[in-house]
Amino acid sequence: VGVVGVIVLLILPTLFLSSLRVESNVLTFFKSGSRILKDYQFISNHLTGLSTVEMDFRGRQEDCLNTATQLIEKLKDVPGIKPIVYPYGSQLRMSIVVKAMESMAFNQLVKDIQSRVDNLGVSGVKTRLTGTVVLINQVQEKLLHTQIRSFGLAFACIFIIFLFIFRSFSLVMIGIVVNLFPIAILSLFMVLFRIPLNVATVMIASIAIGIAVDDTVYFLRRFRSEILGGGDWEASVERAYLYLAKPMTFTSLVTTLGFFILVLATFKPIAYFGLLGGVTLTAAWAGDVILAPATPCVAPVRAPAAPPPSIHHGLPRVRTPVTSAVKPRRPLASTAATPISLPSPATRMLD
């Protein structure tokens, strides 16, 4: 039952990863009452948009102009854009001015424009999409891959370090499970409260895990020492917990409060960074004081048959008698020394 509970606890939040919203539009980084956002919305609604999709046409001048004219006709039914054609060196360029929208709308807009260009069927003209909207779209696509790579690299480093420190696959797997728990809680929290994944929040998991892994190392190190000391796993877990529960709680509390202070920031990425960092560290503390002591009870770690002598801290070592056959030394000849008579002080005075 315990193994199934741990597996469900770790796998269930990962099912919501597909619902994780990715946002790379810088306008969403400001709160609704921000002066910058109000000015941008005023310009976008009354003048023109500030983001553009650039289309380069390469080929004969007449063919490029004909292709651009056909594309303008096909884009008339797309809301929120305004195409402008102008010469660009020896080639032709079209600037499609876009009003403010979310990154997912940018992504759909780029795909729509590209499909309309492909359906033109004009030969002899090469087209290429570029501009700020296309760059935002590319950043958005790379954010999730960056998150996955950062997770993989972080846990690969944790696995190698744990294996070097503990030299026990069971303890390494306990450490990995405990540190996967706050990542699962972070993903579930972002999905439930619709917090987007952006250039700031993408860094939270690796940073928070790098901080929280210290308590895991302390607990498993103490637990390993207790096991090697000859105790059973249940008593070893209890002693390690009683020894480290308060220090882990106090250090996690101070660090978590430091993250939560950033929630007061007016810049959304910093506020999200503080909020999600505090949530991750809180989940990491719960994993260290609840999940870490419970995991050895689910999968007990066996003590080695013969613990090394170095673990008997402060205990006297018992020397075993040497049983090998050693020739006894021949007794030395009696060399009873003749007593030497020293002159008395009175004799010296007489001399």
Side-chain angles (χ1 to χ4, degrees):
V1 178
V3 175
V4 174
V6 171
I7 294 175
V8 171
L9 187 63
L10 296 177
I11 293 181
L12 184 60
T14 60
L15 300 178
F16 297 93
L17 288 179
S18 59
S19 304
L20 194 62
R21 187 164 59 96
V22 181
E23 182 62 66
S24 56
N25 188 1
V26 294
L27 292 178
T28 60
F29 294 170
F30 301 95
K31 294 185 176 181
S32 58
S34 173
R35 179 63 181 272
I36 297 176
L37 185 58
K38 289 182 178 179
D39 293 344
Y40 188 96
Q41 291 174 346
F42 178 84
I43 295 174
S44 178
N45 295 329
H46 296 83
L47 298 176
T48 182
L50 299 179
S51 301
T52 60
V53 177
E54 304 290 338
M55 175 72 71
D56 288 337
F57 298 90
R58 298 183 181 183
R60 293 177 55 188
Q61 192 75 18
E62 296 179 359
D63 295 339
C64 292
L65 185 59
N66 184 27
T67 304
T69 304
Q70 295 181 31
L71 182 59
I72 291 175
E73 291 294 328
K74 287 184 173 294
L75 293 176
K76 283 185 177 180
D77 59 338
V78 179
I81 66 171
K82 182 180 180 181
I84 303 172
V85 180
Y86 58 92
Y88 183 71
S90 60
Q91 306 298 326
L92 197 68
R93 169 167 284 202
M94 176 187 293
S95 292
I96 304 174
V97 183
V98 182
K99 291 186 177 182
M101 58 182 66
E102 294 184 352
S103 294
M104 295 304 296
F106 279 150
N107 186 15
Q108 186 61 38
L109 176 63
V110 171
K111 291 181 179 179
D112 191 10
I113 294 175
Q114 186 63 55
S115 65
R116 293 169 188 261
V117 172
D118 296 337
N119 293 331
L120 289 176
V122 179
S123 60
V125 178
K126 295 181 178 180
T127 59
R128 182 174 66 95
L129 281 176
T130 183
T132 56
V133 175
V134 178
L135 293 177
I136 289 174
N137 187 38
Q138 292 176 354
V139 170
Q140 174 184 330
E141 292 178 352
K142 291 182 178 180
L143 278 177
L144 192 57
H145 298 290
T146 303
Q147 180 81 312
I148 295 174
R149 284 199 303 268
S150 64
F151 282 170
L153 182 59
F155 280 103
C157 294
I158 290 174
F159 181 85
I160 295 173
I161 294 174
F162 279 5
L163 193 60
F164 177 78
I165 293 176
F166 303 121
R167 303 180 185 275
S168 171
F169 186 76
S170 300
L171 291 178
V172 171
M173 294 310 299
I174 291 174
I176 294 297
V177 168
V178 170
N179 285 276
L180 276 175
F181 175 72
I183 298 299
I185 296 299
L186 172 64
S187 302
L188 182 60
F189 186 85
M190 293 180 68
V191 170
L192 292 179
F193 291 94
R194 299 187 59 80
I195 298 177
L197 187 67
N198 53 40
V199 293
T201 57
V202 76
M203 301 183 297
I204 294 173
S206 299
I207 294 176
I209 289 304
I211 298 174
V213 73
D214 292 345
D215 291 339
T216 307
V217 173
Y218 294 147
F219 178 83
L220 294 180
R221 186 73 176 178
R222 182 71 183 186
F223 171 70
R224 179 176 179 270
S225 299
E226 296 292 344
I227 283 288
L228 294 177
D232 60 347
W233 53 267
E234 186 174 356
S236 299
V237 167
E238 183 179 359
R239 286 195 293 266
Y241 180 81
L242 293 176
Y243 186 80
L244 293 174
K246 287 185 178 180
M248 289 192 302
T249 301
F250 291 147
T251 55
S252 299
L253 178 63
V254 172
T255 311
T256 303
L257 290 178
F259 271 93
F260 277 139
I261 289 176
L262 299 178
V263 177
L264 302 177
T266 57
F267 193 52
K268 276 188 178 180
I270 297 179
Y272 282 147
F273 184 84
L275 174 63
L276 297 178
V279 169
T280 307
L281 288 180
T282 303
W285 168 82
D288 288 328
V289 301
I290 299 175
L291 191 59
T295 307
C297 298
V298 174
V301 180
R302 294 183 179 180
S310 58
I311 64 165
H312 298 284
H313 303 288
L315 296 180
R317 294 185 179 182
V318 179
R319 298 183 178 271
T320 57
V322 180
T323 58
S324 58
V326 181
K327 291 184 178 182
R329 277 187 167 185
R330 295 178 62 182
L332 296 177
S334 176
T335 54
T338 306
I340 303 174
S341 59
L342 296 177
S344 62
T347 309
R348 286 199 300 267
M349 289 181 62
L350 291 176
D351 292 340

